[in-house]
Amino acid sequence: MIVLNTLEKIYLSGSEVIPNEKISKHTSIEIGGKVKALIVPNTVSSLLRSLEILESNEEEYRIMGLGTNLLVSDDGLDVFVLKTERLSAFEVKGDLIVSESGTPLKRLCEIAASLGLSGMEELYGIPGSFGGAIYMNAGAYGKEMKDVLEWVELYDGGKVERFSSKDLEMSYRKTSVGNRIILRAALKLKKGYSEGIYKRMKEYLRRRLEKQPIFEKSAGSLFKRPRPNFYVGSAIEKLGLKGFSVGGMKISEKHAGFLVNSGNGKFEDAIKLIEIVREKIKEKFGETLETEVRIWR
Ligand SMILES: Cc1cc2nc3c(=O)[nH]c(=O)nc-3n(C[C@H](O)[C@H](O)[C@H](O)COP(=O)(O)OP(=O)(O)OC[C@H]3O[C@@H](n4cnc5c(N)ncnc54)[C@H](O)[C@@H]3O)c2cc1C
């Protein structure tokens, strides 16, 4: 009888497996070294089977959506990474949209609009997956995921449980999801009119396009606001750091709240630049900045 290794077992569980994959191919900022393997489950069942194998073999793993909020070390990580991109089945039940976690948020907004369901217009254009948006409590223009989320199904050490969104203690770019995995969730929307919804979505998208470096390689806003009325982008601009760079990493010329990879940017350049900005903000404004971007090293 052949003894199968973890990779082979995961492959047999129905997930795609890419050994030694470079994560830079999967992050919007195009940074990140190799991991043991990238695992791409085809269904929630194959994800659960893969998790069982990883856990019974005591393998370390992490989960990613579409990699639009991640900064991963160029040295790579000795872990398996599960990517939810193929978990995109959804169904509509009246004013509820129930979707798996890998569906792009933008796609869910468009589905809602086509059905005349209102409530997510402000969130249109936030890149990334539904699961990533829930994990981060993503938001824009005064609306956050917590405002439209009804329930979330989480995987936690062999168990799958449904929680009301209130149980997840969602606040500004923060939830209590922790090491649990979001499998699927429901959005509660309100009946409206498709035409008006589309119009509002386009308006928010236009505002985003005017202000943000949409077509550059970034991971979104670099830092969280330390308090409600302190706008990090404006503060960085006041420090004269717009366009400031370390190696190939640069503070965006278009929006000083964004860190962009302007060419051959390296993880260490990004970390140096983050430290410089944090120090200068502390010195000038007395505020301590926390990164919004998730750093994996
Ligand atoms: C140009 C640009 C504009 C942006 N604008 C905004 C904005 O307006 N507002 C905003 O809030 N964000 C914004 N972002 C940041 C980012 O798009 C969001 O945070 C997004 O929700 C992340 O989703 P993702 O699928 O890419 O997550 P990833 O980057 O893949 O992961 C982010 C975190 O979520 C966790 N995660 C992902 N999926 C799951 C899951 N299924 N279960 C458990 N944990 C999971 C990961 O482990 C990681 O810790 C922007 C980014 C870019 C590049």
Side-chain angles (χ1 to χ4, degrees):
M1 172 113 167
I2 311 168
V3 179
L4 299 173
N5 65 29
T6 306
L7 278 187
E8 291 164 332
K9 285 184 196 162
I10 290 170
Y11 179 68
L12 288 179
S13 77
S15 294
E16 304 311 329
V17 176
I18 314 173
N20 300 314
E21 180 71 338
K22 267 188 111 171
I23 289 296
S24 57
K25 292 192 210 163
H26 303 271
T27 54
S28 53
I29 199 162
E30 294 185 16
I31 289 180
K34 287 182 182 172
V35 294
K36 267 188 179 170
L38 187 81
I39 301 168
V40 187
N42 282 300
T43 59
V44 168
S45 319
S46 58
L47 167 65
L48 294 176
R49 286 193 294 269
S50 300
L51 284 167
E52 197 188 329
I53 294 161
L54 289 167
E55 286 175 5
S56 60
N57 287 289
E58 291 181 7
E59 294 284 3
E60 205 184 317
Y61 63 82
R62 299 196 190 184
I63 183 129
M64 70 183 287
L66 292 171
T68 64
N69 210 31
L70 286 179
L71 181 61
V72 182
S73 167
D74 287 320
D75 294 338
L77 297 166
D78 197 25
V79 300
F80 290 87
V81 173
L82 295 142
K83 189 176 186 198
T84 60
E85 69 182 342
R86 292 197 187 173
L87 311 180
S88 58
F90 71 90
E91 58 180 324
V92 182
K93 297 175 179 171
D95 55 5
L96 275 192
I97 300 181
V98 177
S99 170
E100 292 177 349
S101 58
T103 312
L105 186 69
K106 197 169 173 187
R107 187 162 167 236
L108 286 173
C109 293
E110 290 203 26
I111 290 162
S114 69
L115 296 166
L117 291 173
S118 169
M120 300 176 75
E121 292 89 321
E122 298 89 337
L123 306 173
Y124 186 57
I126 298 180
S129 67
F130 187 31
I134 296 169
Y135 188 90
M136 297 302 301
N137 186 27
Y141 306 113
K143 184 63 69 76
E144 292 180 327
M145 286 303 290
K146 74 174 174 58
D147 304 326
V148 282
L149 209 58
E150 180 77 359
W151 54 256
V152 180
E153 220 170 72
L154 297 180
Y155 169 91
D156 185 9
K159 279 194 325 253
V160 175
E161 254 187 286
R162 186 177 288 187
F163 295 87
S164 113
S165 62
K166 293 186 184 64
D167 296 332
L168 298 182
E169 296 161 38
M170 297 172 87
S171 58
Y172 172 62
R173 305 297 174 267
K174 203 168 162 192
T175 62
S176 62
V177 173
N179 290 330
R180 295 174 289 178
I181 292 178
I182 300 158
L183 301 178
R184 43 172 89 79
L187 291 160
K188 176 122 172 72
L189 303 168
K190 286 200 181 76
K191 200 77 197 121
Y193 294 95
S194 289
E195 209 182 316
I197 297 170
Y198 275 123
K199 211 173 149 198
R200 285 195 294 280
M201 284 187 350
K202 196 170 167 188
E203 196 39 49
Y204 286 116
L205 202 58
R206 189 191 307 278
R207 282 163 72 173
R208 192 173 275 284
L209 191 63
E210 274 167 16
K211 294 246 166 72
Q212 297 184 359
I214 304 290
F215 303 118
E216 291 179 67
K217 298 171 205 167
S218 88
S221 295
L222 181 54
F223 297 107
K224 291 185 187 182
R225 282 198 304 272
R227 55 184 164 82
N229 292 325
F230 187 89
Y231 295 96
V232 181
S234 315
I236 295 176
E237 206 175 330
K238 278 187 197 138
L239 288 171
L241 291 177
K242 223 176 187 182
F244 172 72
S245 63
V246 175
M249 299 307 300
K250 187 167 84 169
I251 294 294
S252 166
E253 309 267 7
K254 193 161 180 184
H255 188 313
F258 283 64
L259 172 67
V260 296
N261 179 353
S262 60
N264 205 9
K266 301 269 177 287
F267 176 79
E268 285 309 328
D269 299 335
I271 297 297
K272 263 187 219 145
L273 196 147
I274 289 170
E275 280 319 313
I276 293 171
V277 174
R278 278 169 60 107
E279 267 170 38
K280 288 192 183 291
I281 291 277
K282 180 83 191 166
E283 217 175 270
K284 171 100 182 173
F285 301 100
E287 299 288 349
T288 305
L289 296 183
E290 188 191 330
T291 54
E292 178 170 328
V293 168
R294 312 283 304 178
I295 298 175
W296 284 6
R297 58 170 134 207

